[in-house]
Amino acid sequence: MNCLFINKKILNQRCFPCKLIGPTFADLAKENKDIKFLKVDIDENSEELEDILENIPGVPTFYFYSEGKLIDQMSGANARLLKEKTSSLASIKSSKA
C-alpha cells in the first residue's frame, strides 16, 4: 500500500511561537523520514491560502494527514504535544505497513 503521511506547519516568519517550535519541527522531520513535513508561510502564500486562512485558529498550526485525509491538527508551540501527535501519525504509518 502506498500511503502518504504529512505533518504540515502553517507559520508566519515574524511569529515568535513559530520560531520557538521551528527546531522541534526540524528535528521531528529528521527523525521521521517516512512522514513528509511541509512548511507553509501565510505571508508568502496568502493568495493560495485565502480559503483556509479564516479557519486557521492561530500560528503555528499543524495539520496531520494520513492517505490524504486530515486526521488531526493542533495550534501553538507546544513541543511535547507536537511530538505526541507526530508519534501517533508514525504509529498509523507503521500499522499500515
Side-chain angles (χ1 to χ4, degrees):
M1 176 180 281
N2 187 2
C3 302
L4 178 61
F5 300 89
I6 301 174
N7 178 346
K8 181 167 65 173
K9 174 184 176 186
I10 307 293
L11 66 113
N12 175 307
Q13 293 299 328
R14 298 175 305 228
C15 162
F16 178 74
C18 297
K19 291 177 182 178
L20 188 66
I21 198 75
T24 301
F25 186 81
D27 289 345
L28 288 169
K30 288 177 189 170
E31 295 167 8
N32 296 278
K33 300 285 187 197
D34 291 339
I35 298 174
K36 187 177 283 190
F37 286 75
L38 307 171
K39 287 195 253 181
V40 179
D41 187 319
I42 60 173
D43 286 337
E44 293 179 10
N45 300 287
S46 60
E47 288 182 21
E48 293 86 357
L49 297 172
E50 191 173 302
D51 292 340
I52 64 166
L53 281 176
E54 63 191 41
N55 296 320
I56 295 174
V59 289
T61 293
F62 300 87
Y63 294 98
F64 303 86
Y65 294 88
S66 175
E67 298 182 351
K69 295 181 181 147
L70 180 65
I71 58 167
D72 205 351
Q73 73 180 63
M74 66 169 273
S75 292
N78 185 329
R80 180 192 54 78
L81 185 59
L82 179 59
K83 289 175 184 176
E84 286 176 10
K85 290 183 177 286
T86 301
S87 179
S88 293
L89 185 62
S91 69
I92 292 170
K93 191 255 177 245
S94 295
S95 70
K96 294 189 178 203

